[in-house]
Amino acid sequence: MSHQLGVNQNQVFKLVLTGGPCGGKTTGQSRLCSFFETIGWKVFRVPECATVLMSGGVKWMEMNDNDIFQFQENLIKCMMQIEKTYCELAQMSTKNCLIICDRGIMDATAYMKPEQWEEMKMKNGWNEIELRDNRYNQVIHMVTAAKGAEKFYSTEHAVRYESPDVARNLDDMASQAWVGHPYYDVIDNSTDFEAKLIRMISTVTDRLGMDFRERLNVNSKKRKFLVRELPSLEAIDMAASAETKGYPQFQDFDVVHDYLATPGQKTQARIRKRGQNGNWTYTHTIRRYLQNNESAETKMHITSRDYTNLLAQIDEKHQTIYKTRRCFLWNDQYYQMDLYKEPCQERCKGLILLETYSTIPAMEPLDLPSFLDIVKEVTGDPYYSMYNLSSKVWLQNTKGKATVSHDSIPNEVANGDVHQEATSNGDHDETNGDINGLR
């Protein structure tokens, strides 16, 4: 299936995320969505129809062969209609569109006997060239954690009950179902989970002919910088007249973060809403800290209703964070700038943090936007961790003396009552999600 053009000559790219249980499809879908929305694309997320139906009371073990045949036939027809709805919306959009399908038509064949599938194709006049090769631009198979990352395999899912052995078998069947697609990529567990997701996003941008190699390099690290203030229009004009690049085109998003109460220190949870012009996307992130400084994180898109319900679980030790998130490209490098807004802690007033990803190590020279007044690099500095910036404990510890010029790190950091920010791709801070699309 070649890249389609909509009625407004916009690109429409239809992608399938498939794989065995606990392979990273849910988190991968979220990261892809964040990444492409940040670069100006419209993203449609086609839900997994099987999960929708089975969460309504369908139990696989209670069905005989005839039941399975009827269920799978109706499931495929349901998938076709839902996909058609999203494709028609994408065709009419004025933006380039990415359609992410949580599993595709061929995944249904992994749960049928070969003779059942042959009978179903004949009954409905279907053929695999149309259903597999011509229907989707790309298929990405996310290998189950039960293959090579067993310690991360979990059944903490609404309808997941498979043992690791069953998960491996289902993974094999799902992968076999898509063999033959002209653009079929398998993302295994040969790296850690963060690198796995980066590799997944890279395969999509590569198929689209986008050059994001620097940003999506597995050795790329987040770097964070403190900005003194936004440049004035006059300063921007002067910079432009001096034959240097002025303020580039940008996208602004309203972002609201809240940390949720959790039963212990080994789990962190937060919710986020992010939008433009009153249109919002909602995300729920749960991070579990494991042994050997490792962690596992699940990030899920949620509904407005889910978001409202989760607000009842807000951690009273943390204050809501309000930001304007400004995203732009400068000298082929992607940047995200967070402008903290009131109401906020005193130390957040006027705070502006610039972030990017680079393979150049922290504290080594980096070509930064010339139109910004950069105070210093704060990569890895716990004072500028979003978790700590939202913490009300800081105000208690500093006895109301938390206001700073941001030109130097306050002595309170040395007290140890902070949440240390990691400097790798796997840090806890949500902000790396919109830079690399990885949170």
Side-chain angles (χ1 to χ4, degrees):
M1 180 181 180
S2 59
H3 298 191
Q4 296 182 0
L5 292 179
V7 297
N8 297 302
Q9 297 301 299
N10 58 308
Q11 285 193 71
V12 178
F13 192 84
K14 191 176 180 183
L15 166 74
V16 171
L17 283 183
T18 184
C22 198
K25 295 187 297 298
T26 300
T27 302
Q29 182 181 131
S30 180
R31 308 277 176 98
L32 273 172
C33 181
S34 293
F35 182 92
F36 275 88
E37 284 182 341
T38 298
I39 62 175
W41 283 53
K42 173 66 179 177
V43 180
F44 293 103
R45 301 179 299 278
V46 182
E48 184 181 6
C49 291
T51 297
V52 173
L53 295 176
M54 297 186 75
S55 63
V58 176
K59 296 191 180 300
W60 193 261
M61 302 303 295
E62 295 177 356
M63 293 191 286
N64 58 33
D65 284 351
N66 289 333
D67 294 334
I68 291 173
F69 185 95
Q70 292 298 326
F71 177 80
Q72 294 295 76
E73 183 178 29
N74 288 323
L75 171 64
I76 290 174
K77 291 178 179 179
C78 180
M79 294 171 70
M80 288 179 172
Q81 185 58 48
I82 293 176
E83 288 179 12
K84 179 182 177 182
T85 300
Y86 284 104
C87 286
E88 290 180 351
L89 288 170
Q91 290 286 338
M92 299 300 295
S93 178
T94 57
K95 292 184 176 182
N96 291 331
C97 293
L98 175 67
I99 303 171
I100 307 173
C101 301
D102 190 344
R103 298 192 181 278
I105 300 299
M106 296 304 295
D107 281 288
T109 68
Y111 297 83
M112 287 188 284
K113 296 177 180 178
E115 57 269 25
Q116 288 179 313
W117 176 230
E118 292 300 322
E119 179 185 350
M120 191 178 297
K121 286 191 295 181
M122 185 174 297
K123 176 184 176 182
N124 292 279
W126 297 337
N127 70 79
E128 291 179 346
I129 297 300
E130 290 299 323
L131 295 181
R132 182 193 62 214
D133 300 351
N134 294 338
R135 191 175 183 84
Y136 307 100
N137 297 107
Q138 184 180 9
V139 178
I140 296 179
H141 181 95
M142 302 290 283
V143 175
T144 176
K147 287 183 175 180
E150 289 80 358
K151 68 179 179 179
F152 294 106
Y153 185 78
S154 170
T155 56
E156 295 176 2
H157 188 280
V159 295
R160 182 180 300 147
Y161 55 84
E162 300 90 349
S163 68
D165 286 340
V166 172
R168 284 187 281 268
N169 185 46
L170 292 175
D171 191 90
D172 290 340
M173 291 191 294
S175 63
Q176 188 61 38
W178 290 100
V179 170
H181 191 281
Y183 302 108
Y184 180 37
D185 295 282
V186 178
I187 310 297
D188 62 17
N189 297 302
S190 58
T191 61
D192 63 30
F193 189 57
E194 293 297 332
K196 180 180 183 179
L197 294 173
I198 295 173
R199 288 156 51 212
M200 180 267 293
I201 297 172
S202 294
T203 62
V204 181
T205 57
D206 288 347
R207 294 293 183 202
L208 283 164
M210 298 175 171
D211 187 4
F212 288 104
R213 286 170 293 181
E214 174 70 10
R215 193 188 339 169
L216 296 174
N217 190 302
V218 294
N219 295 316
S220 192
K221 305 293 184 182
K222 183 178 75 173
R223 295 183 63 175
K224 184 184 293 187
F225 301 85
L226 179 64
V227 179
R228 193 180 308 278
E229 60 185 1
L230 287 180
S232 65
L233 294 176
E234 180 180 331
I236 294 171
D237 291 339
M238 290 178 62
S241 64
E243 298 185 354
T244 61
K245 288 191 176 182
Y247 215 120
Q249 292 184 343
F250 59 85
Q251 289 278 339
D252 274 356
F253 298 88
D254 295 315
V255 181
V256 181
H257 298 276
D258 279 291
Y259 284 91
L260 306 181
T262 56
Q265 295 183 346
K266 291 185 177 181
T267 303
Q268 183 190 104
R270 60 182 180 269
I271 52 176
R272 181 192 76 176
K273 70 174 184 177
R274 175 183 185 270
Q276 291 177 313
N277 303 317
N279 300 307
W280 300 94
T281 58
Y282 303 90
T283 308
H284 181 205
T285 302
I286 299 174
R287 189 177 186 85
R288 294 181 294 113
Y289 294 92
L290 309 173
Q291 296 178 348
N292 301 321
N293 294 321
E294 293 183 326
S295 62
E297 183 174 276
T298 301
K299 185 175 184 180
M300 300 162 286
H301 279 278
I302 57 176
T303 66
S304 172
R305 183 175 181 177
D306 293 333
Y307 177 83
T308 300
N309 290 337
L310 285 169
L311 285 173
Q313 302 177 28
I314 284 179
D315 187 346
E316 296 299 331
K317 296 179 182 177
H318 289 265
Q319 183 165 328
T320 300
I321 292 285
Y322 299 92
K323 307 174 183 176
T324 295
R325 177 158 295 166
R326 180 161 296 179
C327 306
F328 60 90
L329 284 164
W330 189 82
N331 281 356
D332 298 322
Q333 182 77 10
Y334 185 76
Y335 291 90
Q336 168 183 290
M337 188 161 58
D338 280 349
L339 291 69
Y340 283 72
K341 301 192 300 185
E342 297 187 40
C344 63
Q345 310 261 31
E346 281 293 322
R347 63 185 179 280
C348 294
K349 291 182 179 179
L351 180 61
I352 305 173
L353 295 174
L354 178 73
E355 297 184 358
T356 189
Y357 267 75
S358 177
T359 54
I360 300 174
M363 303 305 166
E364 291 192 10
L366 186 66
D367 186 21
L368 296 171
S370 58
F371 56 87
L372 293 177
D373 184 0
I374 307 295
V375 178
K376 61 183 177 181
E377 181 166 3
V378 294
T379 302
D381 182 346
Y383 184 79
Y384 295 100
S385 155
M386 188 177 68
Y387 184 91
N388 293 333
L389 288 171
S390 70
S391 174
K392 296 178 181 178
V393 175
W394 276 81
L395 291 180
Q396 297 170 7
N397 288 346
T398 55
K399 296 180 176 62
K401 300 178 181 179
T403 302
V404 295
S405 67
H406 302 305
D407 289 338
S408 61
I409 302 173
N411 293 330
E412 289 81 6
V413 174
N415 292 342
D417 196 5
V418 297
H419 191 286
Q420 179 66 42
E421 179 180 28
T423 58
S424 68
N425 283 343
D427 73 23
H428 75 276
D429 214 348
E430 180 276 342
T431 50
N432 91 357
D434 288 332
I435 297 177
N436 262 357
L438 298 179
R439 274 285 178 273

